[in-house]
Amino acid sequence: VAAKHLAVSQHDIVPLMQLRCTVCHGLRKQKAKLDLRTRESMLRGGKSGPAFVPGKPGESLILEKIHEGKMPPRRKVVTVSVKPMEPREIALLTQWIELGAPMTDPPLGKPQSISKGDRNFWAFKPPRHPSPPKFNEPRIGNSIDAFILRSLKAKGLDFSAEANRQTLIRRATFDLNGLPPTPGEVQEFLQDISPDAYAKLIDRLLASPRYGERWGRYWLDLAGYSDSDGGQDSDRIRDHAWRYRDYVIKAFNKDKPYDRFLMEQLAGDELAKPGSVPDEVLAENLTATGFLRMSSDYTFANITGFVPDRIEVIDREMEVLSSAVLGLTMKCTKCHEHKFDPIPQGDYYRLLAIFKGAYDEHDWMRPRDGGGASYSVPWPTRQLPLPGTHAKWKTHEEDINQAIAKLKADKGEKKNKDAIKKLEGKRQPEPFIRALWDRGEPSPQYALIRGNYLRPGALVQAGIPAILTNPKKPYSPQPPWPKAKKTGRRLAFAQWVVQPNHPLTARVMANRIWKHHFGSGIVRTLDDFGNAGARPTHPDLLDWLATEFSRRKWSIKAMHRLIMTSATYRQSSATNPRLEKLDPENTLLSRMTLKRLDAEALRDSLILVAGQLNEKNRGGKPDGINARKDGLITVPRGTDGWRRSVYVLQRRTQIPTLLTTFDLPRMEPNCVKRPESTVAPQALHLLNDATVNQLAGHFAKRLIKE
């Protein structure tokens, strides 16, 4: 009996109840007033009495209902997204009751030791602010050049000549706006002989709304942005996902500080108490949480809405978070200790527990655009005051209702049938956003043995990866405001992420900004700063950039100015046999790296030079697509031309052919680095595609006219 007593406890039964029973007898719903989440609530029972009698399984109501097939009701199993207990689970519950429903301390996982050597790995130590080398060189524009020149001098190299001014304006315009400069803009820059002509060019490009459209797209890649849920067959459209896309573009154009940008996306719902800030701020904060709602999600369907399907959604979002923000690979730790980095399996489940208040596989909210059980909510939500966006819709609805009521009151409903129908046709769908919020009562988090949801192991508490902990500032979540029905776990996590001395946050983003300017990051593995990743080519420069980033108030535009005004960035891309021998892959940046246009820059440039770029209507609902039977997917021309590619419907199973041909990826779950291919279909598409031919015709007319 003692051996059996040790073999089963409430920590075997609580996960079982969560998995099979609490959808009807839990937090949100308590049929027959029965709550089966804990031993205490089971003994308290419901309308029919206690759920079980300790030591007497034969007299326990819960086992009686299970054996009769009444729990869960067979006819409702699919609709409630649970499956009946398996024989081994029934035996486990029976054994627990027979032993008197013993309570024991939670099983503890064996902690993985983290050595001093682990903590001394470069990426796990806070970045320092190194002093740049001293050089008496006229070409040095800022400290970036000093670090680069030191590496060049060590190999007997120097900077390449500065690129000509026509090359510089083209390079800068594509980098910041994703479009080529107009002939007039080129001429104006060439004729400006003032010392600050280039600096003014950079400022003009950063001030353009095109900047947010270009650089916001990079972040949307990291977030795994999509206008559909995924799946080969259904791939349902997300009617309101575009609000997150517009939030990102707006944030980049406003130069929202990166720390605030992350805070809003990780814990926007916990940043401010309703009523304490303007409604528009609350709406924006909640819209930002769409960052954690972008991965593919099939749980809208009953046959794909069970616990393992929900866990897959959560796992994908954790992959997005770790790759985009932390620059770590953590996916493997779902099933076992990390093979290369000091990240134990328990750390993965501690991270999940941080998000459990919002992402709870046992208290799930389906991805619907309306209704109660949904995480697409009214703008911003029924729990918050309604901002002006929503008020306009509400007034519009009330006006229609009053007009219809007036027509009906005149006893002329049949006579006014057409007028009433016309008014009904003017109704607009209620504005929603795709959001995430903490609901305050998460279920307990257990580590899953080998990642199997049917094999719960040790109970874990919310926490950050041990290798990144700071003993002076332990992770200690608190409700975000007095009496808040929120755990505060994600808020504490977000505050930890944006600490200026965080080992990874500033390094990862500074490295990514560098990559988009130079074609490759200082750390080439953008999502892996761990032991299996690449080592930084210029570690002092990376640390300097990371610390400058936080010192400059996390301004991404300030980082652009810093990088683009350096002599390193302004170099010519011309090469010669000596450079190819001493710096064959341009690791030392002895010249500017040649970069190819990505899919959006190519398509948008074709539209721009053809004089067909519609910039009157930025943001809003995405532009539709046409899918032919032969597989060609195109974007129809609108009344005023075509909008930029970032505003085209991003459907996982139907990406415009022109974009996929030039390597626009499908988001599964996100994209950290775009692939770059050179294949025959690219040239053939540009030669034979009807839309490209149409644009060429517009370009010819423009040339003749101008």
Side-chain angles (χ1 to χ4, degrees):
V1 174
K4 286 185 178 180
H5 191 282
L6 293 175
V8 60
S9 74
Q10 85 277 13
H11 293 293
D12 298 288
I13 303 306
V14 168
L16 180 57
M17 293 295 105
Q18 294 282 356
L19 182 63
R20 305 299 189 197
C21 304
T22 58
V23 67
C24 294
H25 304 282
L27 174 65
R28 306 294 164 189
K29 184 190 294 185
Q30 294 181 0
K31 294 186 67 173
K33 297 184 178 179
L34 177 61
D35 183 351
L36 297 177
R37 286 179 294 162
T38 67
R39 182 184 188 276
E40 293 76 14
S41 65
M42 293 168 73
L43 284 173
R44 187 166 58 247
K47 287 183 177 180
S48 302
F52 70 89
V53 179
K56 298 180 180 180
E59 299 178 18
S60 296
L61 191 60
I62 187 171
L63 286 173
E64 178 185 329
K65 298 292 185 183
I66 289 172
H67 288 303
E68 291 177 353
K70 294 181 179 179
M71 286 184 62
R74 300 289 182 181
R75 65 186 182 278
K76 295 183 179 180
V77 163
V78 173
T79 59
V80 297
S81 297
V82 295
K83 296 179 181 178
M85 278 194 187
E86 298 177 357
R88 67 169 186 83
E89 295 172 331
I90 298 174
L92 189 70
L93 177 59
T94 302
Q95 183 186 12
W96 182 64
I97 294 173
E98 184 179 14
L99 293 171
M103 296 282 286
T104 66
D105 292 332
L108 299 177
K110 184 180 179 182
Q112 177 177 329
S113 61
I114 297 177
S115 68
K116 187 176 180 180
D118 291 332
R119 295 192 181 277
N120 282 333
F121 184 70
W122 74 270
F124 301 143
K125 295 190 296 184
R128 56 192 179 84
H129 193 70
S131 299
K134 301 294 184 182
F135 288 102
N136 187 19
E137 295 277 351
R139 286 283 303 277
I140 290 181
N142 56 43
S143 297
I144 290 174
D145 298 326
F147 288 109
I148 295 296
L149 188 58
R150 180 173 64 185
S151 299
L152 290 173
K153 293 284 189 183
K155 287 284 187 178
L157 295 171
D158 206 329
F159 289 126
S160 291
E162 183 166 304
N164 63 55
R165 288 167 67 86
Q166 188 163 354
T167 298
L168 284 178
I169 186 174
R170 184 174 175 83
R171 179 185 298 169
T173 307
F174 266 116
D175 267 14
L176 293 180
N177 290 178
L179 292 165
T182 65
E185 290 168 341
V186 173
Q187 282 302 116
E188 182 181 352
F189 179 63
L190 294 179
Q191 293 169 4
D192 188 347
I193 59 173
S194 61
D196 62 344
Y198 180 67
K200 288 189 296 184
L201 168 67
I202 301 301
D203 287 342
R204 176 176 65 79
L205 296 173
L206 288 173
S208 169
R210 294 175 174 178
Y211 164 75
E213 294 167 338
R214 175 61 167 170
W215 279 79
R217 175 68 257 187
Y218 293 140
W219 186 262
L220 293 173
D221 271 16
L222 296 172
Y225 175 80
S226 180
D227 290 309
S228 68
D229 283 324
Q232 292 298 325
D233 299 320
S234 55
D235 195 23
R236 293 183 0 148
I237 298 297
R238 296 170 172 171
D239 291 329
H240 306 284
W242 57 267
R243 295 191 192 277
Y244 174 74
R245 174 250 285 156
D246 285 359
Y247 159 82
V248 170
I249 292 173
K250 180 182 176 183
F252 273 88
N253 276 330
K254 288 173 59 179
D255 197 23
K256 180 170 288 189
Y258 184 62
D259 59 343
R260 177 68 188 188
F261 185 56
L262 287 182
M263 288 281 290
E264 291 174 357
Q265 293 179 86
L266 296 176
D269 59 306
E270 297 183 319
L271 289 180
K273 181 180 180 180
S276 65
V277 296
D279 296 345
E280 288 71 19
V281 174
L282 291 174
E284 186 170 19
N285 290 348
L286 202 61
T287 303
T289 65
F291 171 71
L292 292 165
R293 289 296 195 193
M294 283 298 138
S295 74
S296 55
D297 186 344
Y298 319 142
T299 62
F300 58 82
N302 289 327
I303 59 172
T304 53
F306 295 90
V307 165
D309 305 300
R310 301 168 183 177
I311 290 175
E312 282 188 18
V313 176
I314 299 171
D315 290 339
R316 284 192 288 266
E317 291 298 357
M318 293 304 102
E319 186 177 351
V320 169
L321 170 68
S322 60
S323 62
V325 178
L326 299 178
L328 288 177
T329 59
M330 294 188 66
K331 187 177 181 180
C332 58
T333 56
K334 175 185 176 181
C335 300
H336 52 75
E337 314 288 79
H338 202 291
K339 296 296 185 183
F340 304 103
D341 296 327
I343 304 176
Q345 186 186 12
D347 276 1
Y348 183 80
Y349 292 97
R350 279 186 279 277
L351 183 65
L352 292 191
I354 290 175
F355 292 82
K356 198 86 173 196
Y359 259 135
D360 190 337
E361 68 271 25
H362 301 303
D363 183 20
W364 196 245
M365 301 189 80
R366 294 185 177 189
R368 293 175 178 164
D369 290 323
S374 165
Y375 55 65
S376 289
V377 295
W379 176 269
T381 173
R382 292 188 177 93
Q383 286 84 23
L384 299 178
L386 302 175
T389 303
H390 195 281
K392 183 179 179 181
W393 171 84
K394 198 172 182 181
T395 301
H396 178 72
E397 285 293 291
E398 289 173 355
D399 290 344
I400 291 176
N401 291 337
Q402 290 175 8
I404 292 175
K406 185 177 181 181
L407 289 172
K408 290 181 177 181
D410 292 338
K411 295 182 181 182
E413 187 168 350
K414 291 184 179 180
K415 177 183 176 182
N416 297 320
K417 181 179 179 181
D418 291 340
I420 292 173
K421 186 177 180 181
K422 188 175 181 180
L423 284 170
E424 290 286 359
K426 291 183 178 181
R427 293 190 188 275
Q428 299 172 358
E430 186 175 4
F432 281 77
I433 53 175
R434 193 174 182 86
L436 175 145
W437 64 95
D438 191 296
R439 287 165 285 155
E441 296 185 63
S443 61
Q445 179 67 58
Y446 291 85
L448 303 180
I449 299 171
R450 301 300 298 173
N452 186 343
Y453 76 102
L454 295 174
R455 298 184 64 196
L459 179 69
V460 300
Q461 301 300 320
I464 57 180
I467 188 64
L468 299 174
T469 55
N470 181 350
K472 296 180 180 179
K473 292 185 178 180
Y475 174 79
S476 54
Q478 301 291 332
W481 53 82
K483 298 182 180 180
K485 293 183 179 180
K486 295 179 179 293
T487 64
R489 293 179 185 179
R490 279 182 295 113
L491 179 60
F493 176 77
Q495 290 167 338
W496 167 76
V497 164
V498 300
Q499 293 178 84
N501 65 342
H502 191 284
L504 293 168
T505 307
R507 277 181 176 141
V508 169
M509 190 56 179
N511 184 64
R512 193 166 279 123
I513 296 170
W514 184 273
K515 184 269 177 192
H516 289 305
H517 283 303
F518 290 98
S520 181
I522 296 173
V523 177
R524 301 206 170 197
T525 50
L526 303 176
D527 61 340
D528 189 359
F529 277 44
N531 280 285
R535 300 299 184 266
T537 56
H538 298 78
D540 285 349
L541 174 57
L542 180 59
D543 273 14
W544 187 86
L545 288 169
T547 50
E548 279 296 306
F549 191 19
S550 58
R551 287 185 176 194
R552 296 180 185 228
K553 299 181 180 179
W554 299 92
S555 167
I556 295 175
K557 288 188 176 182
M559 299 304 289
H560 290 310
R561 293 186 183 95
L562 190 62
I563 291 171
M564 297 177 73
T565 55
S566 69
T568 307
Y569 178 84
R570 298 200 304 269
Q571 291 180 101
S572 166
S573 58
T575 188
N576 57 56
R578 186 166 183 268
L579 291 181
E580 291 173 359
K581 179 181 179 181
L582 296 177
D583 190 15
E585 297 183 2
N586 200 26
T587 304
L588 301 175
L589 290 173
S590 58
R591 56 198 179 277
M592 187 59 179
T593 307
L594 282 172
K595 293 189 297 179
R596 60 177 293 173
L597 296 183
D598 59 25
E600 294 95 333
L602 174 66
R603 177 182 178 271
D604 295 352
S605 296
L606 292 175
I607 297 171
L608 176 71
V609 299
Q612 294 294 303
L613 183 62
N614 173 12
E615 296 186 285
K616 296 178 182 178
N617 306 308
R618 288 189 157 96
K621 292 184 178 181
D623 297 337
I625 55 177
N626 283 340
R628 295 194 335 195
K629 291 183 179 180
D630 63 2
L632 184 72
I633 300 170
T634 59
V635 183
R637 184 186 186 279
T639 305
D640 298 309
W642 286 269
R643 292 200 297 172
R644 295 192 70 171
S645 301
V646 72
Y647 298 123
V648 173
L649 184 74
Q650 308 284 312
R651 193 171 192 180
R652 296 179 202 273
T653 55
Q654 293 182 336
I655 303 173
T657 307
L658 176 60
L659 297 177
T660 55
T661 301
F662 287 91
D663 302 320
L664 182 71
R666 175 175 169 168
M667 298 297 158
E668 290 293 350
N670 63 344
C671 178
V672 176
K673 184 178 180 181
R674 295 272 185 99
E676 291 186 4
S677 66
T678 304
V679 292
Q682 293 168 342
L684 293 172
H685 189 99
L686 294 178
L687 283 169
N688 299 310
D689 181 68
T691 300
V692 176
N693 187 40
Q694 185 181 0
L695 289 169
H698 286 296
F699 182 45
K701 291 177 183 177
R702 180 185 172 198
L703 285 177
I704 293 170
K705 181 180 178 180
E706 295 183 11

